[in-house]
Amino acid sequence: LLAARAQEFNQEDLTDVYQYAINHCNIQIMKARESYVQEAFDLYVESVSSGVLLENRILSPWHFKNIINLGLKLKKYAWTEAFIESHTQLLAPEFQPDALHYNLALLYYSTGRHDDALLHLNRVEYSDIHYSTGAKVMLCQIYFQNDDIDALESLIHAFNTYLRRNRLISENVRQVYLNFILIMRKVMRARPQQYPAIAQEVQKMRVLAAKDWLLKILGESS
């Protein structure tokens, strides 16, 4: 309906309405209503291709990252890779290198190409807090799955220090990642028979990075 009636709005109002619709979808996705993943993806594709979400022909790195995440959730791997290659140039120049390497790392991690993911993560300079925190979570996942416990423990310690000292991170965002660190430490110290209890704790957490992944590893390991 929104796409069909778009011509009835001025540009500013149309941008607002698309933002409201996308935000509504994101709230539903946080409530595990998976049908809204496709809804949000379609809204993003419509609004980017029409230029509605572009401000002075620039796409925000936050929107760019969300589109990549949605494409990966839907397992649209070829589409996602093509989108990264063709749309990175829509970002402001200062965000382009980190956006390219971070999102290619995310794509390669999601498709099991961990060495390629690490190669691109090592080229991220962390110009944006969201890329910095996301990259650290991804590294934790790779180290855990590669059974590189020494590297994982060192990274978790550094990540915890970064979160507690960086005043540019909002308290809500900080808690999302502190909870991730809390659960990772419990997983690393627990015996397999303790995993179901940790999984229950994960289920109850309202704000937690990589929640689906944590539930997956706890289920696979128990």
Side-chain angles (χ1 to χ4, degrees):
L1 180 61
L2 179 55
R5 306 292 288 272
Q7 71 280 1
E8 299 179 30
F9 296 87
N10 64 43
Q11 187 72 13
E12 184 178 350
D13 288 344
L14 187 60
T15 299
D16 286 343
V17 173
Y18 265 100
Q19 292 269 27
Y20 297 149
I22 289 168
N23 289 344
H24 174 73
C25 288
N26 289 338
I27 291 169
Q28 303 310 312
I29 292 168
M30 289 172 64
K31 296 177 181 177
R33 295 173 180 170
E34 293 302 312
S35 63
Y36 281 89
V37 173
Q38 184 70 56
E39 292 276 1
F41 178 81
D42 291 342
L43 286 166
Y44 265 125
V45 171
E46 289 168 16
S47 54
V48 171
S49 61
S50 66
V52 169
L53 277 190
L54 304 186
E55 186 174 346
N56 297 323
R57 299 185 180 180
I58 298 293
L59 179 64
S60 89
W62 184 80
H63 287 317
F64 186 77
K65 185 168 176 276
N66 278 355
I67 294 167
I68 304 307
N69 282 326
L70 291 167
L72 294 176
K73 276 180 177 286
L74 293 168
K75 295 181 169 43
K76 295 179 180 288
Y77 301 126
W79 182 95
T80 301
E81 186 164 16
F83 183 85
I84 294 170
E85 298 288 358
S86 62
H87 284 70
T88 300
Q89 61 190 6
L90 289 179
L91 303 176
E94 62 267 26
F95 291 116
Q96 289 182 21
D98 271 7
L100 176 66
H101 293 300
Y102 174 84
N103 286 294
L104 282 175
L106 187 60
L107 169 68
Y108 294 144
Y109 171 74
S110 300
T111 52
R113 296 165 60 181
H114 290 180
D115 288 343
D116 290 332
L118 284 170
L119 180 67
H120 284 280
L121 283 174
N122 287 331
R123 298 179 68 181
V124 175
E125 295 182 1
Y126 306 134
S127 60
D128 179 88
I129 286 172
H130 297 291
Y131 285 134
S132 179
T133 50
K136 288 177 173 60
V137 169
M138 207 186 317
L139 282 170
C140 285
Q141 293 170 313
I142 292 172
Y143 290 154
F144 180 85
Q145 288 172 248
N146 289 349
D147 203 27
D148 193 347
I149 302 305
D150 289 342
L152 179 57
E153 288 181 343
S154 178
L155 175 59
I156 285 176
H157 177 76
F159 194 9
N160 185 64
T161 301
Y162 169 82
L163 290 168
R164 295 188 183 279
R165 290 183 179 175
N166 194 318
R167 298 305 171 194
L168 296 177
I169 303 175
S170 72
E171 287 306 315
N172 287 341
V173 171
R174 195 190 320 277
Q175 197 58 52
V176 167
Y177 295 103
L178 287 175
N179 284 345
F180 173 78
I181 289 172
L182 173 69
I183 295 298
M184 282 302 302
R185 283 175 167 163
K186 288 188 177 185
V187 171
M188 292 165 64
R189 294 167 183 164
R191 295 185 298 276
Q193 57 266 38
Q194 296 173 299
Y195 287 171
I198 300 174
Q200 287 185 352
E201 185 177 354
V202 169
Q203 288 279 19
K204 293 176 182 177
M205 281 187 169
R206 295 184 61 188
V207 290
L208 175 62
K211 186 171 186 175
D212 290 344
W213 177 80
L214 287 166
L215 289 171
K216 184 172 183 286
I217 63 167
L218 287 165
E220 289 178 349
S221 302
S222 61

